[in-house]
Each structure stands twice: as structure tokens, then as C-alpha cells.
């Protein structure tokens, strides 16, 4: 996990000090080295070993305590002793050669401990020991603890994607029924995405090459009929809850948008347009019933795209102008971020034998309706993950799920710094997320609940920084457009939202943990979730033990 402190410039301190053995309790002279900004204090047998950087041992400094030590009964009493105790309660007894040296080292170690980071090695050790103690506790009490994690955040921030990752990591992936659902959803996502691109072209009256123009015209004529026939939602049962797909409307736009109509008159020189020209748009249903042979195959789509339509999509996406300017403009129309991924993968996806991969599923988009609870058994613990709908109108339902929450994972999509909210088309999405975070982390409903902040979509954030600064969202931001500085600024903006109520009230001065995440990347999510597990389990241990 990252920390948010600066490392002061201080000299290295090194000296020979005596260290009491952990196994054989005798004193050994060791060369101790404390480098400023290091996460460890190291000790060596001598200078040669130091120059080879071959330490005899190292003491993790993150959160360690230092206190004076005086012997009560020992035949080998030493003066000026002190103890360094790590967060894992492991102790090192060290003896200095004078009072001044003892004070100097104690002070330096204390200071180093305040800025040291928790290293992966320490995290892993902690993770294992926490798990071990929880397991033995569980065995002795013969019960499986249920830890409730509430996923909160604005719409489209990535909450449901996290649940999908949990399925991949802890549920052996997706069932055949789920894969079928996602296949249909992906087809819808692609068709809606292409229609939205065409809508952008029409809206902005963009000039296209003749080939692209023909393909867009043909596609949109077909799409309008397809849309009128397609059921508005597809649904699937997940663990007694229903996830319903309500794909985004392809005609969302920043202003008043004309209906989807091709700007250029369709040419009459191909099969599809000939077919469609026979259709009375107002009589589509009737027409399909009576001419079900060819148009039935063309429009009765569940999980595949007819090859003629695939060809139009391929032509449209092969145009570099569509992939650059049109795609960027489409952001203002709230295009699904995965459209680019799907269209890049379209050759594979458009095959009749297509089966979605885990990544395809992670990239799919369906607005969550209501609340979906899913249990995941991880080792001997059940994580009950509560995924809510993030859009404004849905948030009043959240309060019903605040009871017995072990931890809140607040998901904020930091790549949204230059995007407007779908709900009102005017509020900056990141401002909305910051305001929501402010409410959540200062809410008295969960005074002791740990809050874990996921600063999500870092992959899109990195890409976007190449073309626009976070100044769009934070006019006071003065630094450069580097990922490090920009992400750090956003992180601090979130963390600064936590208030302590001005009365040192412990109940609302809870700690906020944070991670930079890419929820569609399974490997990095696994690391992040291990760390989250540690925090949650260690907090819960207090309750169970
Ligand atoms: N590139 C990228 N896409 C992401 C990331 N996280 C989520 N997404 C995509 O963002 C879209 C929205 O994600 P969801 O998980 O559905 O968002 P949500 O927070 O559940 O949204 P609501 O249900 O509307 O509240 C999906 O298409 C995801 O694939 C990420 O870190 N990087
Ligand atoms: Mg969702």
C-alpha cells in the first residue's frame, strides 16, 4: 500500500552496537545501519559484509516501537539497552555504548518508523500470521465468520467489475449460464458502441470517406430496426439475486441530439439497403412477422452478429478517423469505455464460435439495478460482497445495507476527471465522486467501519493524461501532467475529505486505506485484494478473538 508522507533528507547512521541473540541469548557486536527513507534497519557482521550488502538481519521499521530496556535478572547485564518491537511483536534487544548513543538511535528509529512503508515482504508475513490465527480461532469456535464488504461509488466506477474479479479468483470463474449472458451483453455493448459512434458523426456532421460513409449508413439503418426488436433488458440470476443488463442508450449526448438517422442518403446498391428499403419503419413488427426468412435472421439477434453487419462494423472501425477523433468526441456522449477494446478484438468476437474470455467479461458493461449480494469463501472466511447501483437515483437504497458492515470499499474512477455525469450531463464526474466520498467517510452510520479507497481505472487515467491535464477538474493544480504527480494530487484530494469533527472524536477518526487499481487486471487485483483481506481480517480478529 502507498503512504502519503515525504521523506526528509537525513544522514545515514551507522555504528557497532551489541545485539542480544534471539536463540542463544548472548550479546554479539554488529554493525547497524539506518538509512533515511529505508523501510528496514539492517545489521551486518562487519564492514566487509556491509560492502557486499550481505546483512545478517534486518528489522522492518513500519509501525515499530522503540523503548528503553533495563535488565531485571541477568548475569550478562548491559547498560544503555533499548528494544525495537515490530508490528508483528518481534523484538530486538540492542545495547549502545553510551546514554547519548542510546538516545540518538532510539530517536532516529522512531522517526524512521513514522515514514517507513509496509513492504510486500512484511505484508505477506502479516497476511500469513493473521490468517493462521484466524483459522485456529475459527476452528476452536467451530464457525465460519462472515465479513460484509460494501462496494460503494458513483455509477460506472468499477464496482461490479470487482465482483467479477472475485468470481474469477474465488469462484472458479463464470458458469456456462453466466458466459451465455455475457456473450449477449458483449454483443449489445458492441452494437450500442458502434451506433453511438455513428451518432457522433451525424451530430457533428463529420466528413467521412465514401467507404466508411456507406458502411455507417447501412449499419444505422439496420441498427434502428434491430433496436426496435430487441428486448430492453437481459437478465441472469446470480446467487438468488438478479443482475439485469440495461445497456446504455446509444443516443445519450451532451446536448439535444437528433434521432439516429444517417446524414447521407443510403445508397441503393447493396443487399441490406434493398432489404431495408422495403421496410415501413412504422410497421417493422408486422413486417418481421410476415417476412421472417431473411429479415428474421438479420434482426433476431441474441448472441451473434450477422456477417453482413460485421463487415460494416469492420469497415467503420478500420477508419483511423473513427478511432481517433470520433472516439474522443464520443466520450461526451458517455460511450462505454470498453467499446475500443471490443472493436479492436472484433475479428475474434464476431466469429460464430466465439466464447467470451475472462477479460471480455470484465470489460462488459451493464448498469447494476438494485443491490447484488454475493458470498465468496476465501480460506475459512466468507466475504459477503454487496454491490450497489451507483447512479444518483439509486443511492437512497444504500442505507438499507449499512448494518453489520465490516468494511467499505469506495471505488472512484480517477480517469473520469474530464467527464460529465450521465445523470445530469453537467456535473464533473470526479467532483461527484469526491462529494460522495466526503459523505461516506464522515457518515456516523459506520463509525468504526474501515474504509478502503480504490482509485480505479489507472490504465485509462495514464492514457488520458497524454492528452488532457487534471486541471480540467482541479483548476488549482499547478504541477505537470505526469502520472505520479497527477494521481498523487487526486489521492490527496480524496484523503483530505475525511474530517475528525474537530473534537478528537475517535469514532470518526478511522483510518482510510487506499490503493491505485485497474479493476480489469486480474493479476494486480489479486495483490490488492490480498492486502485488503489483511486489513479486514485483522480488524475483525478483534471481534472474533
Ligand atoms: N479500462 C478499465 N475499465 C474498467 C476498469 N474498471 C471498470 N472498468 C470498466 O468500466 C465499466 C463500468 O464498470 P462497472 O463495474 O459496471 O461499474 P459500476 O460501478 O458497477 O457501475 P454501476 O453499476 O452503474 O454503479 C465496465 O465496462 C468495466 O469493464 C478499469 O480499471 N480499467
Ligand atoms: Mg454495477
Amino acid at each position: 500500500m502507498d503512504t502519503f508522507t515525504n521523506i526528509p533528507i537525513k544522514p545515514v547512521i551507522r555504528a557497532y552496537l551489541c545485539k542480544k541473540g534471539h536463540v542463544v541469548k548472548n550479546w554479539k557486536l554488529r554493525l547497524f545501519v539506518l538509512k533515511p527513507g529505508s523501510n528496514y534497519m539492517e545489521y551486518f557482521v562487519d564492514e566487509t559484509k556491509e560492502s557486499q550488502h550481505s546483512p545478517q538481519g534486518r528489522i522492518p521499521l513500519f509501525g515499530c516501537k522503540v523503548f528503553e530496556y533495563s535488565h531485571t535478572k541477568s548475569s550478562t547485564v548491559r547498560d544503555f539497552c533499548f528494544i525495537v518491537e515490530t508490528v508483528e511483536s518481534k523484538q530486538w534487544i540492542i545495547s549502545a555504548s553510551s546514554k547519548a548513543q542510546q538516545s540518538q538511535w532510539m530517536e532516529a528509529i522512531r522517526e524512521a518508523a513514522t515514514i517507513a512503508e509496509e513492504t510486500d515482504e512484511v505484508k505477506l508475513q502479516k497476511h500469513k500470521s493473521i490468517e493462521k490465527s484466524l483459522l485456529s480461532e475459527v476452528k476452536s469456535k467451530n464457525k465460519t465468520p462472515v465479513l460484509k464488504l460494501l462496494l460503494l461509488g458513483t455509477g460506472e466506477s468499477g464496482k461490479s467489475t470487482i465482483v467479477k474479479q472475485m468470481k474469477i479468483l474465488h469462484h472458479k470463474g463464470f458458469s456456462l449460464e453466466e458466459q451465455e449472458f455475457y456473450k449477449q451483453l458483449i454483443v449489445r455493448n458492441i452494437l450500442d458502441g458502434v451506433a453511438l459512434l455513428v451518432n457522433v458523426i451525424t451530430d457533428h456532421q463529420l466528413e467521412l470517406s465514401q467507404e466508411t460513409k456507406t458502411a455507417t449508413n447501412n449499419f444505422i439503418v439496420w441498427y434502428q430496426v434491430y433496436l426496435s426488436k430487441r428486448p430492453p433488458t437481459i437478465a441472469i440470476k446470480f446467487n438468488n439475486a438478479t443482475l439485469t443488463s440495461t445497456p446504455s442508450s446509444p443516443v445519450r449526448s451532451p446536448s439535444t441530439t437528433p434521432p439516429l438517422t444517417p446524414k447521407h442518403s443510403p445508397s441503393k446498391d447493396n443487399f441490406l439497403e434493398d432489404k431495408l428499403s422495403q421496410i415501413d419503419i412504422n410497421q417493422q413488427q408486422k413486417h418481421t412477422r410476415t417476412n421472417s426468412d431473411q429479415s428474421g435472421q438479420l434482426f433476431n439477434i441474441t448472441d451473434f452478429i450477422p456477417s453482413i453487419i460485421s463487415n460494416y462494423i469492420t469497415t467503420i472501425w478500420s477508419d483511423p478517423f473513427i478511432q481517433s477523433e470520433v472516439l474522443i468526441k464520443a466520450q461526451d456522449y458517455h460511450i462505454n469505455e470498453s467499446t475500443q477494446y471490443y472493436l479492436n478484438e472484433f475479428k475474434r468476437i464476431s466469429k460464430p464460435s466465439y466464447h467470451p474470455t475472462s477479460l471480455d467479461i470484465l470489460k462488459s458493461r451493464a448498469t447494476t439495478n438494485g443491490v447484488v449480494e454475493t458470498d465468496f469463501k476465501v480460506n475459512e472466511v466468507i466475504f459477503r460482497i454487496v454491490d450497489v447501483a451507483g447512479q444518483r437515483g439509486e443511492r437512497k437504497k444504500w442505507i438499507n445495507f449499512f448494518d453489520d458492515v465490516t468494511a467499505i470499499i469506495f471505488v472512484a474512477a480517477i480517469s473520469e476527471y474530464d467527464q460529465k455525469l450521465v445523470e445530469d450531463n453537467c456535473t464533473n464526474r470526479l467532483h461527484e465522486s469526491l462529494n460522495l466520498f466526503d459523505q461516506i467517510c464522515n457518515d456516523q452510520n459506520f463509525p468504526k467501519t474501515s474504509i478502503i479507497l480504490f482509485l480505479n481505472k489507472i490504465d485509462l487515467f495514464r492514457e488520458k493524461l497524454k492528452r488532457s491535464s487534471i486541471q480540467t477538474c482541479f483548476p488549482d493544480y499547478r504541477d505537470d501532467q505526469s502520472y505520479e504527480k497527477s494521481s498523487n494530487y487526486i489521492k490527496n484530494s480524496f484523503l483530505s475529505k475525511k474530517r475528525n469533527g474537530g473534537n478528537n472524536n475517535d469514532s470518526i477518526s478511522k483510518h482510510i486505506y487506499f490503493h491505485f487499481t485497474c479493476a480489469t487486471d486480474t493479476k494486480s487485483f489479486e495483490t490488492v485484494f490480498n492486502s485488503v483481506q489483511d486489513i479486514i481480517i485483522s480488524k475483525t480478529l478483534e471481534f472474533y478473538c
Side-chain angles (χ1 to χ4, degrees), residues 154-161 337-338 362-368 388-391 456-457 459-460 517-520:
T154 54
E156 237 168 313
S157 54
K159 300 178 292 298
S160 304
T161 311
E337 276 144 349
S338 303
L362 287 165
K363 293 274 186 181
S364 66
R365 168 68 180 146
T367 313
T368 306
V388 301
Q391 292 200 355
N456 193 33
K457 302 200 181 180
D459 55 329
L460 299 173
T517 57
C518 173
T520 47

Side-chain angles (χ1 to χ4, degrees), residues 20 126 131 155 256 321 495:
K20 198 166 189 183
K126 207 164 118 192
E131 240 174 50
T256 47
F321 179 67
L495 295 178

Side-chain angles (χ1 to χ4, degrees), residues 154-157 252-255 328-337 365 391-392 395 413-433 457 464 467-468 472-473:
T154 54
E156 237 168 313
S157 54
R252 290 182 298 177
S253 87
S255 55
I328 290 173
K329 282 193 167 57
Q331 185 184 277
D332 295 341
Y333 292 63
H334 312 292
I335 192 164
N336 286 342
E337 276 144 349
R365 168 68 180 146
Q391 292 200 355
R392 275 183 182 174
R395 292 180 206 152
I414 60 170
S415 60
E416 293 181 340
Y417 63 87
D418 64 347
Q419 285 173 250
K420 303 255 169 61
L421 212 60
V422 174
E423 293 91 315
D424 67 1
N425 241 331
C426 92
T427 311
N428 177 289
R429 286 198 193 194
L430 202 51
H431 287 164
E432 178 83 355
S433 184
K457 302 200 181 180
K464 200 175 269 186
R467 57 169 201 271
S468 92
T472 325
C473 180

